[in-house]
Amino acid sequence: MKSGDDGKLPRPTRRGFLKGGLAAGGLIAAAGGVRAESDPANLPPNVADWSRYLGAGVDAAPYGMPSEYESNVVRRSVEWLTASRESSINFTPLHDLDGIITPNGLCFERHHGGVAEVAPTDYRLMINGLVDKELVFTLDDLKRFPRVNRIYFLECAANSGMEWRGAQLNGCQFTHGMIHNVMYTGVPLRYLLEEAGLKTNAKWLMPEGGDAAGMNRSLPLEKALDDCMIAFKMNGEALRPEQGYPARLVVPGWEGNMWVKWIRRIEVGDEPWHAREETSKYTDLLADGRARRFTWVMDAKSVVTSPSPQAPITHGKGFTVLTGVAWSGRGRVTRVDVTTDGGRNWHQARIDGPSLDKSMHRFYYEFDWDGSDLLVQSRAYDDTGYVQPTKDELRAVRGTNSIYHNNGIQTWHVKANGEVENVEIS
Amino acid sequence: MSKFREHFSRLAGVAVVACVISVPAVAGKLGIGTEATPEEVAGWDIDVRPDGQGLPEGEGSVTDGEAVFAERCAACHGDFAEGVDRWPVLAGGRDTLKSQNPVKTVGSYWPYLSTVYDYIHRAMPFGDAQSLTPDETYGIVAYLLYMNDIVTDEEFVLSKENFTSIRMPNEGNFIDDDRPDTPLASAQEPCMSDCKADVKITKRAVVIDVTPEGEEPDGGSVD
């Protein structure tokens, strides 16, 4: 049987598929699992052109890009979410990725005043306030401190925020893609603070961005001394401009808003500042009209990335790989359970690859699909005993207007034809 | 410094126990960095706290603020801070926080006036940040207080001196993070088999059909 002969899904031509994929935010095209027709001329017993003729030489791409056949693997945005493109969000294509490392060019973006274009020679980091000596560091200065390498997830506090009231966006890129997971290289923040010398009444820090939003947050000193970093590399290369080039704050396990990009200053104080980003925003409104503030940590969470609405099952019934990602801001993920029948029965998934503190984990569950409808969910646990709750459990405590910190269990409805839909179930 | 060293060595001790990978040991200062001059600090240190720390000298009246607001802010936020199109609403929304569609504004939601000054000065107007003088900023803040009925006298003048006497209506309604707020696995082992009798689909994203360029939904949004 020729591949693509089962007739259960529309099979657009590759040209049409790629064209659609390049359209702004086109979701139909985002169904990355739909394969193009094969060209028989390239298949055995024929010998394909690439087996006969020379390919490009070594200098064709001084900085290499993905295969043209992967051009649908891109960040996408949802325009109605925000009023401007400069204070907005886009989404990592989780459904097309595997492993735990997010490629730099696919890491989601969240800016409040656009991307600051900072010249590295003009970069300065100031430490002032309750210190013995107020200091200014150049980028070269930062690179003279002892360095560490750490893999951490960065999740926007608003990830899945559009789903508080129900199933709304159809694809894990949109429901869960405000996250990336990379290896950071940088300086432990405590080295810089020690260089300045903290006064005895120092209790809080205020990291501040050098962008036009002047992003500022209050950070308790304990966290700063524990595991925060000033990072200047991600996945081995310099930070991307949209990720804070040339230096950003890394706040492991805590909401992405605090990971101040283009960081230009850290003030040391004895009280929090109650900046706009920790009063008007990044506070979580409860049903009784009160609001939680300083909800820093990102709780344990997971999502099945395939099958998912953008990654339907295209091979028909039979052996099937289900995969997804899990993470916790409180520590390591120790276990992920998966159900295919809407939570009636659960199976322990297989975590593969590194299991690191406050990092993304990759899980798999292989099963023999009989072609019937599935209701797929995943449920993560971390090493503090926290278990990922259902959305209904969260709503019972918080109502539906919190915007932030939605780590509820996601449900995908896999239909008999392999298409997948974002749903909620009883 | 002594407290820091104490804290530092305590944390370092914890790290050795908890992590396989250790952090390179640094004995004291490395002599890296340059002392900041008072001028450098003054140029960048722009933050304002609820207790008034960081407020510059200056003042502005409601009417001063109305004029600046009309020129610099109203194109996006409306003449009366009511918001234009999708741009943020800055006034109104009182008594909506428990409703299905809360309107979170300076007057209905923000706990501290200092945040209004700090944010407007550091980040507004959108696209021309840090262009407002202290007097202009005081005036805009005074105008927003007036638009939110927090001050009712059109002759009101906001200044460094009287700034901290203004209290915001919603200040008392913020609580510190009290999670975890759902059952822990350590307390109750989650069910693994025969957990439910029946399962029904209750909501579907395809019915709403807003991914990603459809109609604006009634559901949740982020901003």
Side-chain angles (χ1 to χ4, degrees):
Chain A
M1 189 174 84
K2 213 167 64 177
S3 114
D5 245 1
D6 59 13
K8 287 193 176 139
L9 277 176
R11 303 212 175 261
T13 63
R14 171 156 299 280
R15 178 167 295 277
F17 176 53
L18 293 178
K19 207 166 92 184
L22 294 171
L27 180 75
I28 308 291
V34 181
R35 288 166 298 177
E37 293 282 3
S38 297
D39 182 349
N42 293 325
L43 303 179
N46 298 318
V47 177
D49 283 352
W50 57 74
S51 302
R52 296 173 186 270
Y53 308 119
L54 298 176
V58 291
D59 291 330
Y63 194 112
M65 293 291 285
S67 159
E68 63 174 298
Y69 300 108
E70 300 297 323
S71 60
N72 57 316
V73 183
V74 291
R75 297 183 283 223
R76 289 185 175 83
S77 57
V78 177
E79 294 218 13
W80 54 257
L81 283 177
T82 55
S84 79
R85 305 311 291 155
E86 295 80 16
S87 180
S88 195
I89 189 90
N90 63 18
F91 301 89
T92 301
L94 290 179
H95 61 290
D96 272 320
L97 302 180
D98 216 311
I100 65 166
I101 296 294
T102 315
N104 286 339
L106 296 176
C107 289
F108 85 98
E109 301 166 76
R110 201 314 182 213
H111 319 305
H112 292 73
V115 178
E117 298 282 351
V118 180
T121 46
D122 296 341
Y123 175 79
R124 296 292 184 275
L125 174 63
M126 180 184 291
I127 296 181
N128 74 308
L130 298 178
V131 291
D132 297 331
K133 188 157 112 176
E134 299 187 317
L135 289 174
V136 174
F137 298 106
T138 65
L139 189 60
D140 287 341
D141 288 339
L142 295 180
K143 291 178 177 174
R144 290 175 58 204
F145 283 90
R147 279 170 228 169
V148 294
N149 295 288
R150 296 285 185 275
I151 297 175
Y152 294 121
F153 75 84
L154 188 176
E155 184 184 16
C156 178
N159 199 22
S160 316
M162 302 80 73
E163 304 290 305
W164 269 110
R165 294 191 192 174
Q168 182 166 268
L169 292 166
N170 213 26
C172 68
Q173 178 168 21
F174 302 105
T175 58
H176 290 75
M178 297 183 198
I179 188 168
H180 47 72
N181 197 70
V182 304
M183 178 179 277
Y184 296 97
T185 304
V187 182
L189 183 50
R190 62 181 189 246
Y191 294 173
L192 303 183
L193 296 174
E194 180 157 23
E195 205 64 29
L198 294 172
K199 303 269 197 200
T200 52
N201 54 339
K203 288 200 184 82
W204 290 83
L205 307 185
M206 189 214 64
E208 176 183 81
D211 58 325
M215 171 67 62
N216 59 332
R217 288 293 306 253
S218 300
L219 178 70
L221 183 61
E222 292 71 24
K223 179 67 174 175
L225 296 177
D226 178 14
D227 57 4
C228 291
M229 298 164 61
I230 300 292
F232 39 79
K233 302 239 158 140
M234 58 191 289
N235 290 335
E237 63 177 0
L239 298 181
R240 293 294 171 92
E242 66 270 27
Q243 304 299 341
Y245 179 86
R248 83 173 308 162
L249 184 63
V250 169
V251 192
W254 287 19
E255 60 188 14
N257 181 261
M258 306 180 81
W259 298 49
V260 173
K261 298 187 283 191
W262 315 287
I263 186 165
R264 73 163 193 170
R265 190 168 69 96
I266 297 171
E267 184 166 333
V268 182
D270 57 355
E271 286 174 24
W273 278 260
H274 299 283
R276 186 253 198 181
E277 304 292 326
E278 55 205 16
T279 54
S280 170
K281 307 298 178 186
Y282 307 97
T283 51
D284 311 350
L285 185 59
L286 303 171
D288 65 5
R290 295 182 305 159
R292 286 181 178 145
R293 67 180 178 190
F294 300 149
T295 46
W296 296 313
V297 73
M298 301 305 292
D299 281 319
K301 187 168 175 180
S302 65
V303 66
V304 172
T305 55
S306 178
S308 68
Q310 297 161 285
I313 299 177
T314 55
H315 55 61
K317 61 178 76 167
F319 195 76
T320 299
V321 174
L322 179 155
T323 187
V325 283
W327 60 93
S328 171
R330 298 184 191 271
R332 268 185 346 102
V333 172
T334 52
R335 174 175 151 187
V336 179
D337 295 336
V338 166
T339 176
T340 57
D341 61 7
R344 275 175 284 207
N345 297 285
W346 294 85
H347 316 275
Q348 197 165 332
R350 186 168 61 83
I351 292 176
D352 192 86
S355 173
L356 300 169
D357 186 47
K358 305 178 183 72
S359 166
M360 211 177 250
H361 293 59
R362 171 63 57 175
F363 66 86
Y364 298 95
Y365 172 67
E366 296 88 358
F367 69 107
D368 196 1
W369 184 38
D370 64 5
S372 60
D373 280 31
L374 306 176
L375 291 168
V376 169
Q377 298 180 329
S378 60
R379 177 170 73 191
Y381 305 65
D382 70 23
D383 57 9
T384 70
Y386 185 94
V387 57
Q388 184 182 1
T390 65
K391 291 191 198 173
D392 283 338
E393 282 173 324
L394 289 176
R395 289 180 192 128
V397 204
R398 304 183 194 171
T400 57
N401 285 319
S402 281
I403 298 178
Y404 309 107
H405 294 284
N406 181 357
N407 65 321
I409 289 174
Q410 174 67 45
T411 311
W412 303 129
H413 176 207
V414 181
K415 299 173 205 175
N417 66 2
E419 287 178 3
V420 183
E421 189 184 345
N422 175 12
V423 298
E424 293 205 14
I425 58 173
S426 58
Chain B
M1 191 61 210
S2 61
K3 186 192 171 191
F4 175 75
R5 283 205 186 283
E6 210 172 277
H7 201 119
F8 181 64
S9 41
R10 187 158 51 81
L11 280 165
V14 171
V16 168
V17 176
C19 305
V20 180
I21 311 161
S22 66
V23 169
V26 176
K29 295 179 192 294
L30 301 176
I32 301 172
T34 310
E35 185 153 13
T37 67
E39 293 74 24
E40 287 173 332
V41 173
W44 279 15
D45 185 352
I46 56 173
D47 52 88
V48 179
R49 289 198 324 200
D51 62 3
Q53 181 181 294
L55 280 170
E57 298 295 335
E59 61 171 42
S61 69
V62 171
T63 46
D64 294 339
E66 183 176 19
V68 184
F69 195 89
E71 190 186 330
R72 307 294 310 275
C73 319
C76 295
H77 295 293
D79 288 337
F80 307 103
E82 78 280 15
V84 173
D85 298 332
R86 302 223 39 220
W87 298 102
V89 179
L90 306 181
R94 293 281 275 277
D95 303 319
T96 66
L97 298 184
K98 297 179 197 172
S99 75
Q100 186 61 22
N101 291 298
V103 181
K104 298 193 288 182
T105 72
V106 167
S108 70
Y109 191 66
W110 291 36
Y112 302 109
L113 189 63
S114 57
T115 313
V116 187
Y117 189 103
D118 178 87
Y119 183 68
I120 290 173
H121 174 247
R122 74 171 54 244
M124 291 290 128
F126 192 61
D128 194 14
Q130 300 199 46
S131 65
L132 295 166
T133 67
D135 285 355
E136 288 173 328
T137 311
Y138 279 112
I140 292 170
V141 176
Y143 181 66
L144 290 177
L145 287 172
Y146 186 74
M147 283 293 108
N148 277 290
D149 300 320
I150 295 167
V151 302
T152 51
D153 176 8
E154 207 173 356
E155 306 299 312
F156 174 76
V157 178
L158 184 67
S159 67
K160 181 184 179 183
E161 285 67 38
N162 68 2
F163 195 94
T164 56
S165 68
I166 307 285
R167 304 301 284 264
M168 304 296 275
N170 199 44
E171 179 182 339
N173 288 323
F174 287 82
I175 54 173
D176 286 338
D177 188 4
D178 55 354
R179 292 173 298 161
D181 51 6
T182 52
L184 299 181
S186 45
Q188 186 189 340
E189 182 67 19
C191 179
M192 292 298 285
S193 56
D194 298 324
C195 304
K196 298 178 181 178
D198 193 25
V199 178
K200 283 193 174 60
I201 292 175
T202 55
K203 288 176 178 143
R204 302 176 54 195
V206 170
V207 172
I208 299 174
D209 194 21
V210 291
T211 313
E213 287 201 324
E215 293 299 304
E216 199 167 314
D218 295 330
S221 168
V222 296
D223 225 305

